[in-house]
Amino acid sequence: MEGLTIVLTRLDQADGLPDVVAQCTHAAERCARAHEIVLVDEGSSDATVAAAGELVRHDPRVRLIVHGADRGHGDCVRTGIAAARLDWVLLMDADARFDVGELEDALAAAAQADLVVGRWVTQRAPVVRRTGSALWNRVVRPALDLPARDVDCAFRLGRRELLQRVALQTGGALGGAELINRGRAGGDRIEEVRVHHRLRAAGLRLGHR
C-alpha cells in the first residue's frame, strides 16, 4: 500500500498499549510505504493517556486524540476515521485480540476491494460472547442480506474515501453491519478475510462492555 492509517480505539489499556502499537508499527512497515497510527482514548480512568503520550513523543507517526468522557465506541471510531490522512484505514480495538500481522493476508483482498472485513476463524472469548456473536450474525446477515459471514468482527480495512463518505451513525455491534450495508449500497466492493481471535491483553474491548 502507498499509505495506511491504523486507528486504535481503547479504554483503560495502559499496560498493553506499548506492545500493541509496536506490533502495529511492525505490520505497517511491512505492508505500506507510509503509515500513521491514530490512538483515540475514550475517557480512560487509568494511565492510558500518559502511556499514549510517551509513544507519541518517541514516534511522530503516532497521534493521540483524547475524548474527555466516555462518548461511546461509535464516536471513537468516527473520530479516528475523520483524523485519518492516508489512503487506507485499518480499524481495530487496542486490546490485542487480533494478530495485526494478519494485515498481510488482507493485502491481496484489498487489491480487488474497497472494504475488507475480518471473519473470526477461532474465538477465545467467553461462551456467552461467542454465542451472542453467532446469534447476532444469524439474525442480521439475512435481514440485511449482507455479503459477509461475520458482521461482528472489529478488524476492518477500508479505503479512507469510503469510510469518510459512509459517515457511520452507529457503533458497537451495529457498526459493522452499518458499514457493510452502506458500503454495498454505494457500490463498493467488499471482501472477507480470515482472522484469529486471541485473549485480550488488558482493559475492556470497546463496544462489547
Side-chain angles (χ1 to χ4, degrees):
M1 292 179 173
E2 287 297 325
L4 172 69
T5 297
I6 298 179
V7 174
L8 296 177
T9 52
R10 68 206 190 288
L11 176 69
D12 295 337
Q13 297 290 335
D15 292 339
L17 187 61
D19 284 343
V20 172
V21 170
Q23 293 166 21
C24 287
T25 299
H26 184 58
E29 288 176 340
R30 293 199 312 269
C31 296
R33 292 184 174 88
H35 82 272
E36 63 178 356
I37 299 173
V38 178
L39 309 174
V40 186
D41 184 80
E42 192 177 342
S44 292
S45 60
D46 68 352
T48 295
V49 172
E54 285 298 313
L55 296 171
V56 171
R57 280 190 284 273
H58 285 89
D59 190 341
R61 298 171 298 185
V62 180
R63 291 191 283 140
L64 171 64
I65 302 172
V66 178
H67 285 187
D70 185 349
R71 291 162 23 192
H73 180 253
D75 209 24
C76 268
V77 171
R78 287 188 287 274
T79 294
I81 290 172
R85 297 169 177 166
L86 301 178
D87 291 341
W88 284 87
V89 180
L90 174 64
L91 302 174
M92 265 182 40
D93 294 338
D95 56 9
R97 287 195 181 190
F98 298 99
D99 177 2
V100 70
E102 293 184 318
L103 174 62
E104 290 189 68
D105 297 330
L107 292 182
Q112 57 189 7
D114 303 298
L115 174 66
V116 180
V117 295
R119 174 173 65 90
W120 295 122
V121 292
T122 58
Q123 278 239 32
R124 299 184 67 186
V127 172
V128 172
R129 171 72 180 90
R130 296 198 306 269
T131 303
S133 178
L135 290 173
W136 178 252
N137 276 295
R138 188 174 298 175
V139 170
V140 173
R141 283 176 49 217
L144 297 177
D145 190 26
L146 297 179
R149 283 168 285 185
D150 189 348
V151 302
D152 196 34
C153 179
F155 184 99
R156 297 160 188 149
L157 175 68
R159 295 185 188 274
R160 177 169 58 93
E161 181 277 330
L162 179 159
L163 295 173
Q164 293 180 346
R165 166 171 48 81
V166 164
L168 293 173
Q169 301 298 310
T170 61
L174 289 171
E178 182 191 6
L179 177 58
I180 295 168
N181 191 42
R182 297 184 69 178
R184 179 190 58 181
D188 299 305
R189 301 165 299 170
I190 300 171
E191 295 286 339
E192 199 171 38
V193 295
R194 294 155 54 97
V195 295
H196 294 82
H197 187 270
R198 305 188 299 188
L199 292 176
R200 68 187 178 195
L204 299 171
R205 185 179 178 206
L206 300 182
H208 297 280
R209 294 192 293 277

